[in-house]
Structure formats: structure tokens, C-alpha cells
Amino acid sequence: MARPTSNPVPRPYFLHGWEFMAFIQANDDEAIAIRASTGLEGPAIVYNEFVVSAAELEDRDLAKWWLLPSMFHIAYVVLHECLSSPDGVGRFTTVAWTAYRQAVCRHSAMAWAQILNGALREGTEFMADHMANCLFVESGMRDRIDAGGPVLMG
């Protein structure tokens, strides 16, 4: 049986500025609800539109539960493959992947070579966690997501 095609869709509004990140409908009712992808084109979030609606992707309270783990997964795969590559970049050469690495470097205040050295020294999982947290917290994304919630008086 042929695999269903997938359709790119607009990113949730709170992710403006993250042009490196694509959002893709799986077009497969048996696909997992939401997952990260490290395709050749660039990092992406693939979601099963039969399980997760576009409105749910826009819900900032729900984003806290899927965005950071997705960023971790992407970072882990990227680090694992880049560490195995002689040039430290491997297959991640597209404009989107270059923008992703630049964003990680900017928000972690580290050069890509330092990130790879950190992964060798501290472990891939540790550095992937660091990269994901830098993209989520240091970039201001967490604040942007939190700003959409209710204002608490007190």
C-alpha cells in the first residue's frame, strides 16, 4: 500500500520567527498524533489532523506539552547524526537546517563546534536537552506562550 502524501500547513501564530520549522499534516488517520521530523528539507512537526486539530496546535496551553519534547527529539537526532559526520553537519545542509543551527547557536551562546564538543563531553542527551531548552526558554518562546494565558490578579 502506498504511503499517503503529507501537506505543509502554516505554523501556529506564536511560532513566528521560526521559519526553519515546518508544520505538516500527516494525511494518514493511523499516524501518531504529533511527532517531530528531521527530514531532508528541515525540522518539522508532523501531526495527524484526524486526532489533533489546527485549533489545538494554536492553543498555547497545549503547546507547552508538545513543543519542547519535539525540539528535544529534533536536537537529539541532529546531534547524533552530526557527530557521526566528518564535517559536523552531515545531511543537514538546507536553508532550514542552517537557520535551525544558527538559532540554536544564537540562543545557547555557543558555536556549532562547541555544541558538538559539548555533546561529546557531556553526552548527546544532555546537549539535546540544552539545545531544546535554549530554543524554548532563551529565545523567549516560553514567555510568548505564557503571555497568551489568563492574567492572574493578586
Side-chain angles (χ1 to χ4, degrees), residues 44 56 70-71 76 81 86 96 101 108 111 124 146-147 153:
E56 288 173 311
S70 295
M71 291 292 88
Y76 185 85
E81 290 189 33
R101 283 192 310 279
S108 67
T124 305
D146 287 345
M153 301 296 200

Side-chain angles (χ1 to χ4, degrees), residues 1-5 27-31:
M1 176 164 112
R3 258 194 115 197
T5 60
N27 288 340
D28 180 357
D29 61 355
E30 295 179 7

Side-chain angles (χ1 to χ4, degrees), residues 63-99:
K64 294 176 189 178
W65 296 103
W66 59 262
L67 185 57
L68 190 55
S70 295
M71 291 292 88
F72 172 82
H73 175 80
I74 290 167
Y76 185 85
V77 171
V78 168
L79 282 174
H80 183 73
E81 290 189 33
C82 287
L83 287 171
S84 300
S85 174
D87 66 357
V89 175
R91 66 182 173 96
F92 305 109
T93 59
T94 65
V95 170
W97 282 117
T98 300

